[in-house]
Amino acid sequence: MKREAAAPEAGKPRDPNRPAPGIDVDAATQVVLTSLEDDKAEEIVSIDIRGKSSFADMLVVASGRSARHVGALADHVMRKLKEAGVKDVRVEGMPQADWVLVDAGDVVVHLFRPEVRSFYNIEKIWSGNHTTALPS
C-alpha cells in the first residue's frame, strides 16, 4: 500500500474529548484494511484526515456486494479491532446494513452497499490528494 505524507498537524496533541483507541492510528488502519481485503470488500479507500477533522485521523470507505456482506464486513472489522486492542469500538447501522459505520476512535470505517455509496459519495467530501485507493 502506498503511504501518503501525514498532514502537517499530525503531531499535535489529541483532542481530550476523543477516546484513546488503545493502539496507534496506523496500526488500527492496517487492521481494518487487512480485514476488509481478507473478506473481499470492494473499492477500499483510506483517507488521511489528520488536521482536517477533530473526530478522527483516518477514514476507510469500502463496499460490500449486499446488505449481508456489508454486515459481515462490519462484524469482522469490529472483532479484529477488539482483538488488536482497540478499546470502545462502536457500530451504527447494523440492522439494515445499507451503510454501516464502525467508530474505532481515530479510525472511522464506512461500509456501504454500492448504490448507497454512490448516492452519498462521502469520499468526494473528504478526499483531496490524501486518498489511497487499494486495488479491488
Side-chain angles (χ1 to χ4, degrees):
M1 182 172 103
K2 182 180 154 194
R3 303 290 301 165
E4 296 292 333
E9 287 120 45
K12 77 177 188 177
R14 70 182 289 103
D15 179 347
N17 296 321
R18 281 175 44 200
I23 64 175
D24 74 17
V25 66
D26 294 324
T29 301
Q30 192 55 54
V31 168
V32 169
L33 295 175
T34 299
S35 178
L36 293 173
E37 289 168 0
D38 289 350
D39 289 340
K40 308 291 190 243
E42 299 174 348
E43 300 181 54
I44 304 167
V45 176
S46 62
I47 306 169
D48 189 332
I49 59 170
R50 289 176 256 218
K52 293 182 180 182
S53 169
S54 62
F55 73 86
D57 289 335
M58 188 68 73
L59 293 180
V60 177
V61 183
S63 297
R65 294 179 300 278
S66 64
R68 186 176 201 150
H69 188 208
V70 169
L73 291 170
D75 184 57
H76 294 164
V77 164
M78 287 186 330
R79 189 171 346 131
K80 298 285 184 181
L81 284 166
K82 288 178 182 179
E83 288 171 4
V86 177
K87 300 172 184 156
D88 199 25
V89 178
R90 299 176 189 170
V91 65
E92 293 184 29
M94 278 299 270
Q96 298 80 16
D98 289 331
W99 175 1
V100 177
L101 182 136
V102 179
D103 182 352
D106 289 336
V107 180
V108 174
V109 183
H110 294 272
L111 303 168
F112 294 96
R113 284 188 308 105
E115 56 275 14
V116 177
R117 182 177 181 172
S118 66
F119 179 79
Y120 287 103
N121 198 10
I122 66 169
E123 298 102 305
K124 187 173 182 182
I125 296 168
W126 287 103
S127 66
N129 44 1
H130 300 290
T131 302
T132 304
L134 300 176
S136 297

